[in-house]
Amino acid sequence: MLTTDYKDGAPNWVDLGTPDTEGAAAFYAGLFGWEYRPGGEEVGGYGMFRLDHKIVAGGTAVTAEQTPPGWTVYFQSSDADATAAAVTQAGGTVRYEPADVQDYGRMAVFADPEGAAFATWQPHGNTGLDAVQEVGTLCWAELCTADVAAAKDFYCSVFGWEIAEMAFEGGSYKMAKPAGSPDREAFGGLVPIAGDPVEDSGRPYWTPYFEVADCDATAARAEDTGGEVRLAPVSMEGVGRFAKLADPYGARFAVIASAPPPPM
């Protein structure tokens, strides 16, 4: 599970690129109770989504020429430049070279060999999101990919991940975790995109999952406010009830009402 005690290789930030920051802010305010505060010129207008005064995501305006609307998952790195070199060596692409963001940290944006975008954040003044795993915050990240085995090799090479397996009827789910950590510190999964009726096999991507109290109510509210229910709520024993959604501008994400942990 995610915690704010961030380790290298684990998600420590997530942000939204959207053509309409005001419209997106209204949508996520209604969905999660977030408040959006745009940044100043010194950060290019990059703003923060807050919940109960805690930063839970970033957000910025993008144009169609720059990139499609979407969420980007950031993974912690102690050395963004070394991570960029590792991405290139492993067959990925550096889309945005490592750069300092004032004294907050150093970031870079990449694509894996299948084209799925992701980023890295090397913290300085900003160590990452203020809250995760709580209702209305990031709780999981999942890669939909054409080749799970190749993706595992790539990300393990770049971030030093270890892969744990969670068995279910008919197969197993591959979970990523920081090197040397127990399985309970897994923060994301790798799933095949082929055969998934709600996914486009030509668009592999990282899906951020946000914790909610009621998956069905959240999905209905998303649809009522201009979003799309891409996958209707479904339950998985021991995991919870989840749904795949998109905001009014096409940014894809998921929500989950997690099952309570088993008794100790």
Side-chain angles (χ1 to χ4, degrees):
M1 62 183 287
L2 282 175
T3 75
T4 53
D5 181 20
Y6 298 114
K7 296 182 178 180
D8 276 7
N12 64 350
W13 194 258
V14 64
D15 66 15
L16 173 70
T18 179
D20 184 348
T21 52
E22 289 187 4
F27 174 79
Y28 290 102
L31 199 66
F32 298 136
W34 291 354
E35 176 192 4
Y36 181 69
R37 299 181 189 175
E41 292 183 3
E42 70 279 4
V43 289
Y46 188 97
M48 304 294 177
F49 288 101
R50 286 177 165 83
L51 180 65
D52 297 331
H53 307 292
K54 297 177 181 179
I55 296 173
V56 294
T60 189
V62 297
T63 65
E65 292 73 25
Q66 291 174 314
T67 185
W71 283 95
T72 301
V73 178
Y74 291 67
F75 301 93
Q76 179 165 296
S77 170
S78 296
D79 187 334
D81 296 83
T83 300
V87 166
T88 301
Q89 185 174 3
T93 303
V94 178
R95 290 186 174 177
Y96 185 91
E97 294 285 348
D100 290 330
V101 182
Q102 298 187 330
D103 60 353
Y104 299 122
R106 190 166 175 81
M107 65 161 289
V109 180
F110 312 112
D112 69 20
E114 295 292 331
F118 67 102
T120 195
W121 179 252
Q122 178 184 340
H124 295 310
N126 183 340
T127 58
L129 301 173
D130 291 337
V132 296
Q133 213 68 39
E134 303 171 10
V135 169
T137 71
L138 182 70
C139 64
W140 193 252
E142 187 174 76
L143 176 66
C144 292
T145 180
D147 190 333
V148 170
K152 176 181 73 68
D153 290 344
F154 171 80
Y155 288 99
C156 288
S157 174
V158 170
F159 291 118
W161 291 353
E162 294 177 1
I163 302 297
E165 300 268 351
M166 181 176 70
F168 62 87
E169 187 176 352
S172 65
Y173 183 75
K174 289 181 170 54
M175 303 184 298
K177 60 179 184 173
S181 62
D183 289 357
R184 66 175 179 273
E185 292 188 15
F187 53 74
L190 310 176
V191 297
I193 200 169
D196 189 324
V198 305
E199 303 295 358
D200 177 354
S201 61
R203 292 184 65 191
Y205 73 108
W206 277 98
T207 312
Y209 278 68
F210 298 100
E211 187 70 33
V212 294
D214 187 322
C215 182
D216 294 74
T218 303
R221 189 159 59 247
E223 196 165 42
D224 289 344
T225 53
E228 176 189 358
V229 177
R230 302 178 59 244
L231 174 68
V234 60
S235 295
M236 181 172 289
E237 185 177 357
V239 174
R241 189 162 175 82
F242 63 93
K244 290 186 176 182
L245 310 176
D247 72 18
Y249 310 98
R252 299 171 292 180
F253 63 102
V255 296
I256 183 168
S258 297
M264 298 297 289

